[in-house]
Amino acid sequence: MSNTERMSVAALIGVILRRKINRTIDVKWLIENEAYAQEIIKLCREQDLADLTEYADHLEKLMFPKEAFKPSGFAPTTFQTKPPTIQPIAKPIAVELPDEIEAEEEIANPNKYVGGLR
Amino acid sequence: MIARKNNPWIWLVAVGLTLSAINAFADTPTVNTPASSYKPSTHPSEPAIAVPSTSQPATPDQQAAQPVEVTGTLPIEQPTVTPTPAVPTPAAVIAAPEVAPPAPTQPYAVGFDKINSGDTAWMLSSTALVLLMTIPGLVLFYAGMVRKKNVLSTALQSFAICCLVSVIWILIGYSIAFTPGSTPYLGGFDRLMLSGLSYIKATSQLTVSHIAPTIPESVFVMFQMTFAIITPALIVGAFAERMRFTAMLAFMTLWSIFVYAPVAHWVWEPSGLLASQGVLDFAGGTVVHINAGAAGLVCAYMLGPRTGYGKVPFMPYNLVYTLVGASLLWVGWFGFNAGSAVAADGRAGMAMLVTQAATAVAALTWIAIEWFVKSRITMLGFASGAVAGLVAITPASGFVNVGGALAIGLAAGVFCYWGATGLKRLLGADDALDVFGIHGVGGLVGAVLTGVFADKAISGLDASVTMQAIAAFGTLLYSGVATFVILKIVSLFVSLRIDAEEEHDGLDLTQHAERVM
C-alpha cells in the first residue's frame, strides 16, 4: 500500500473536516497511528456526509487491509506515543507538512521570492 | 487590471489596423528580394518556393523500390503550381524551353526515390528532441519553480497539453497552418484529419509537403506538431498555481486553433501574411515565443494575482528540477533550431553552432547582472539566462553568423533579466514563472535583431529590421487580443480560476486529489 495514496486520502479528509465542521486534524499522524486513524474514521462517519464517508471507507481499506483475515489470538500492535488530539479551532489552517513549514523558515532573505522568483 | 478596464473592441480594431498595415507595407519595394528571384529553399520561414530536390542520390534500397511501371494505382500527382503572369517577349519565347517548371505550392505525391534519407533521419531525431523539450523538459522546468502544493498540477498541465494538441494538430491544426488558403490569413482545409497524406508501399509513393520536399510529409507533420505542443505549454507558467484544470483544457483547445495555427500560417507557409512579405523567423521566435509570451501576459492579467502575491514568499519546490528541465530544454533546442533547417546540411550545423554560442553568452550575461545587482549568483539565474539566450537566437539561428549570435546572446541576457524583474514590476501582472519576461521579451529581441544581424551569405536573403519589428509587434498584439477573447468565451462556460480555499489547499489536492510527499 503506497504511503502516497494514504496521504492523499488523509489530506482530503483533513480538508473536508476543516471546511464542514471547522476541525483540524494531524494528517501525518493519521496515517501513522492506527488508533488515531480509527477515531478519525469514526468521526467522519458520524458527520453523515457522503463524500466524507466515502473517503473514510477508502482510508479504512488502505489502513486496515487485512483486518478480517488476521489469525485468532493476534494482537494488533499500536504505535501510539501521544493521545489523539481532535480539537476545534477558531481559524482554519492549511494541511501542511512540517518540512514545508521548516523550509519556509529557512529562507535566509525574508524578501526572497516575494513578488517574483528572479 | 488593464485588460479588464478597456473595451475589447478597441483592441480588436487595433489588431485589424495592424494587419492591414502589414499588408499595405508589403507593397513598398524596400522589402527583401522580389519573389521572382527567390532561390529554392527548404526552410519554411523563407518565402522562397521550394523545389523538390532531385540531385540527392537515392540509396540502393530506394533505387530498388523505384517502380519501373505503375499500373492500377493512382499516378504520382502533378504538383499544383501558382500561375505566373505571362510576359510574351521574344526573349522569353526563345528561352522558354530552358525555363524550370514552376514550383509546387501545396503538398503532393512523389516516389520514394525523391526522399533524402539523411534529411529524414535528422528530422526524425529533431522531432524527438523537440518533444523532449516539453515532456519532460518544460514539465521539470516549471514544476521546480512552483510551490510544493502545486507541483503535480503544473507538471500535469504540460503533459495534458501534449496529448490535447497532438489530436488538435491532426484534426485541423496542420491543415490551417501548412497548406495554402484562399487568403494569407489562414490555410486551407484540404488536410483536415490529415486527409490526403499517404504512404503507399505497393506503388512506392508518399506525399511530401511543398515546404519540406525531401522528407515524408508524415515526418513534417510530426515535427511541426511538437512546435504546436510546446507553444501553449509555455503559457502554463504565466497562470501557474491558480487556473482551473478544465478551463485550461478548453482555453488551450481554442488557443491552438485560433491563435497558434493562424500565426504559424502567417510566418511559415510561403503564401502566409508575413512569409510572403519576407519576414524571417527561422525556428519560431515569433510563432512560438512572442505568441506564447503575449498570451501568458494576458492570462496573468485576466486571472489576477495569486493570493498573497507580493506579500509572502512563494517558495519554489525544487530548483534542481528547474535546472534539469532547463538542461533538457537546451539539448532539445538543437532539434528545434537545427531541425528547422529541415535538412541535414551545413545550415543546420550553423544553426546548432549559433544556438550554443548565444545560449552560453546569455547565461553568463544574466549572472553577471545578477552579481552586479544582488551580489549573488543563483542557479535559477543561470537557468533563466540560458533559456533567454535560446529564445532570442531561435528566429535568427538560420540567418546569423557566430558574431551575430554572440551579440544576440548578450542582448537577450540584458533584456530578459529586465523583463523578469523591472518590466514585471512595471506591468504589475502576476506572471508566475515569467513567461512574458523571458519568452515574450526574448522573442521580441531575437526577432528584431534577426533583421540587424542576418548574414546574406548564410541564407541568401536580405532582412528588414522594420518588417521584423512590424511582424513581431503585430503578432504580439494579435495574440494578446485573441487570447483575451478566448478567455472571455471560456469564462462563460467554466470559471477560469479556482476559489480561494482551493488555492489555499493547492491545485494538486483540489484539482487532482494527489499530492507530493
Side-chain angles (χ1 to χ4, degrees), chain A residues 74-109:
Chain A
F74 176 80
T77 308
T78 58
F79 302 97
Q80 185 171 348
T81 55
K82 66 178 183 182
T85 54
I86 309 171
Q87 295 172 350
I89 58 165
K91 189 180 175 185
I93 60 168
V95 180
E96 213 163 27
L97 298 182
D99 55 347
E100 272 185 312
I101 300 164
E102 283 168 16
E104 288 184 14
E105 287 171 353
E106 283 173 4
I107 305 170
N109 177 0

Side-chain angles (χ1 to χ4, degrees), chain B residues 285 289-290 388 391-393 395 412 415-416 436-447:
Chain B
H289 299 291
I290 294 175
V391 169
I393 197 63
F415 281 98
C416 291
F436 183 75
I438 292 180
H439 295 276
V441 173
L444 288 168
V445 168

Side-chain angles (χ1 to χ4, degrees), chain A residues 34-67:
Chain A
E34 292 181 356
Y36 185 56
Q38 282 169 340
E39 286 298 320
I40 295 296
I41 290 167
K42 186 181 165 193
L43 175 71
C44 291
R45 287 177 175 148
E46 284 170 3
Q47 306 311 312
D48 199 25
L49 296 168
D51 52 349
L52 200 53
T53 307
E54 187 183 328
Y55 287 132
D57 292 344
H58 193 176
L59 183 67
E60 189 175 41
K61 281 181 191 168
L62 295 174
M63 293 286 294
F64 314 105
K66 295 177 181 175
E67 193 74 52

Side-chain angles (χ1 to χ4, degrees), chain A residues 3-4 7-9 11-12 15 18-19 31 55 92-97 99-100 103-104 107 110-118, chain B residues 141 145 148 309-316 319 366 374 380 384 420-421 424 432-434 438 501-502 504-505 509 513-515 517:
Chain A
N3 242 8
T4 309
M7 175 57 85
S8 174
V9 178
L12 283 166
V15 169
R18 177 166 56 77
R19 286 188 187 164
I31 63 167
Y55 287 132
I93 60 168
V95 180
E96 213 163 27
L97 298 182
D99 55 347
E100 272 185 312
E104 288 184 14
I107 305 170
N111 291 324
K112 197 165 173 65
Y113 304 126
V114 176
L117 287 167
R118 295 171 171 96
Chain B
F141 186 67
M145 286 191 281
K148 189 175 183 178
Y309 175 69
K311 296 171 186 166
V312 297
F314 292 158
M315 286 290 296
L319 289 179
W366 186 296
K374 298 179 179 172
L380 186 58
S384 305
T421 54
K424 181 175 184 169
L433 308 183
D434 299 322
I438 292 180
E501 276 198 335
E502 289 174 324
H504 188 267
D505 295 334
L509 204 55
E514 293 169 313
R515 71 169 294 163
M517 290 296 289

